[in-house]
Amino acid sequence: MKNILLGYVLLLMVASCMGQRKGSGAYSEDSEADLFLEDSVCLPDEDFSDTLIVVEEVVPVTADASFIDFLYYFTSDQEFQHSRIIFPVSFYNDTTVTRLTEDQWTFDPMFSNEQVYTVIFDKEEELELENNTESTSVQVDWMYLSDKNVKRYYFEQKNDQWYLEAVNKEKISRQQSGGEDFYDFYASFASDSIFQSERLSDPLLFSTVDPEDEFSVLETTLERGQWFAFRPPMPADKLTNIRYGQKETEKSNRKIVEFKGLGNGFSYTLYFRRTHGKWKLFKFEDLSD
C-alpha cells in the first residue's frame, strides 16, 4: 500500500514538472535536451521526507462477529467506543448513580493495555459459551483483589450490534463456603512462589500443542521445576472475568481460569480444585500460537 501511495505522489510531481516546462515559453530541441539532463528529477520546495501519509485503521463490518471481536475494537478505537455507548450512560458507585453524557465520557481502554485478560468458569462444559453467538447480554468484570472491589460493564446486543449501557462499581460480596475463598487463594498463588509451589498437585497434568503435529494435543505431566519454567504470566492484584452466561458459585470446588491476550496469541488455562478446604492447581494447558 505504501508503494502505491509513493508512486502516486511521484506521478503528481512529474506532472507538475511537465506543466512548469510547458508554461516557460518557446524552446529549441537543444534546450529541451538540456532541460531533460539538468531537471530529470524535479524536487519539491520542501523535503519529501517530512511528508507523512497517515492511513487510519478502518473498523471492519465483522466487528460484531463475536463479542470478543467487538471488545477488541471497543477497547482500542476511541471513535468506535464512543459510537457504541448508549448515552447518557449510567455509572453506579455503591449507592450513588451518575449519568454521563457524550461530552463527559472519557475513553476507557479497560484491559487492552494488559498482557493478558482472564475468563473464569466452574465447569468445563461452560467453556463453549465463549463461542455462543446467540447471547444478547454479556458482563465484563474488573476485580481488584487487594481492596475487594469489582467494576462491572454491562453490554447489550441491539440490532446485531453490541453496546455498553451501564457501569457499576461495588464491593465484592463473598459468603463463607466451608473452605478457602478462591480469590484470596489466587492472590497468594500468583504473588508468592513458595506458596505456589506448595499448591501444585503431584503430578501436575500438562496439555500443549504437539510440536510434531500442530493439530494434535500432547498430554503429559510436569515436575515442580518444569512448572516454574513454563508457567504463564499471572496478574496478582486484579483479575477480569467475561460473563457469557456461566454460573459461577462460591460453593464450587472447581475453578477454570483462562488467560488470553487480545491479538497476541496468548492462550493458557489453569484448572484448580478444592480438596479438604484447600485449593490446588491440578492441570495446566498451554495452547498459545
Side-chain angles (χ1 to χ4, degrees):
M1 185 64 181
K2 291 182 178 178
N3 291 335
I4 295 175
L5 290 173
L6 181 58
Y8 179 68
V9 172
L10 292 175
L11 181 62
L12 290 177
M13 291 166 55
V14 172
S16 176
C17 294
M18 294 177 66
Q20 292 173 9
R21 291 171 185 167
K22 287 182 178 179
S24 62
Y27 58 91
S28 65
E29 291 183 0
D30 292 338
S31 63
E32 182 178 13
D34 292 338
L35 282 171
F36 179 79
L37 291 173
E38 294 174 4
D39 299 327
S40 58
V41 178
C42 179
L43 295 177
D45 294 335
E46 297 181 358
D47 187 357
F48 179 74
S49 63
D50 292 336
T51 303
L52 296 177
I53 301 173
V54 179
V55 181
E56 295 185 358
E57 181 180 10
V58 178
V59 177
V61 295
T62 57
D64 293 280
S66 68
F67 179 78
I68 203 63
D69 288 335
F70 156 78
L71 197 60
Y72 170 79
Y73 290 104
F74 186 85
T75 57
S76 60
D77 188 300
Q78 185 170 348
E79 291 186 9
F80 181 77
Q81 181 177 113
H82 209 80
S83 71
R84 292 303 186 89
I85 300 175
I86 300 175
F87 292 106
V89 61
S90 298
F91 190 97
Y92 298 90
N93 192 348
D94 288 332
T95 59
T96 65
V97 58
T98 303
R99 290 178 173 84
L100 302 178
T101 65
E102 291 187 59
D103 294 335
Q104 293 172 318
W105 180 262
T106 302
F107 176 68
D108 187 347
M110 297 174 67
F111 50 77
S112 62
N113 294 330
E114 304 293 326
Q115 191 174 18
V116 297
Y117 70 92
T118 55
V119 188
I120 303 169
F121 300 89
D122 283 357
K123 301 176 181 178
E124 287 192 49
E125 53 265 31
E126 291 183 334
L127 293 171
E128 295 300 320
L129 289 172
E130 293 178 281
N131 303 318
N132 182 12
T133 58
E134 297 180 0
S135 177
T136 59
S137 179
V138 173
Q139 176 182 315
V140 178
D141 291 354
W142 254 120
M143 293 178 284
Y144 300 88
L145 302 180
S146 57
D147 58 9
K148 295 180 172 57
N149 280 326
V150 59
K151 187 177 182 182
R152 295 192 169 102
Y153 300 77
Y154 296 89
F155 294 92
E156 296 289 336
Q157 192 179 53
K158 301 178 185 295
N159 299 322
D160 296 325
Q161 293 183 330
W162 288 98
Y163 292 88
L164 174 69
E165 66 169 15
V167 182
N168 184 22
K169 188 175 181 180
E170 62 184 5
K171 283 288 185 181
I172 299 175
S173 60
R174 295 174 181 169
Q175 300 176 353
Q176 190 63 32
S177 57
E180 286 180 328
D181 175 81
F182 175 74
Y183 295 104
D184 288 340
F185 153 78
Y186 172 83
S188 298
F189 185 85
S191 60
D192 187 334
S193 296
I194 296 176
F195 180 85
Q196 190 177 114
S197 179
E198 295 171 349
R199 296 303 184 92
L200 299 176
S201 293
D202 187 16
L204 176 63
L205 303 179
F206 179 56
S207 300
T208 190
V209 176
D210 190 335
E212 297 182 359
D213 183 0
E214 62 181 8
F215 298 104
S216 299
V217 175
L218 181 65
E219 303 281 351
T220 184
T221 59
L222 293 179
E223 297 178 356
R224 278 182 169 78
Q226 292 174 312
W227 154 256
F228 284 102
F230 293 113
R231 64 180 176 176
M234 291 180 287
D237 57 340
K238 53 192 173 184
L239 283 173
T240 59
N241 192 15
I242 302 179
R243 298 179 181 271
Y244 296 97
Q246 62 266 41
K247 305 296 183 183
E248 186 185 4
T249 66
E250 295 170 356
K251 294 182 180 180
S252 174
N253 289 318
R254 294 246 178 163
K255 293 291 180 185
I256 303 167
V257 184
E258 291 186 322
F259 295 78
K260 295 191 171 186
L262 280 175
N264 58 18
F266 277 128
S267 182
Y268 304 95
T269 307
L270 302 185
Y271 295 78
F272 299 92
R273 64 185 168 202
R274 184 168 51 186
T275 306
H276 304 302
K278 291 187 176 183
W279 288 99
K280 282 191 174 184
L281 176 68
F282 73 92
K283 182 180 178 180
F284 170 40
E285 185 176 80
D286 178 3
L287 299 180
S288 299
D289 294 338

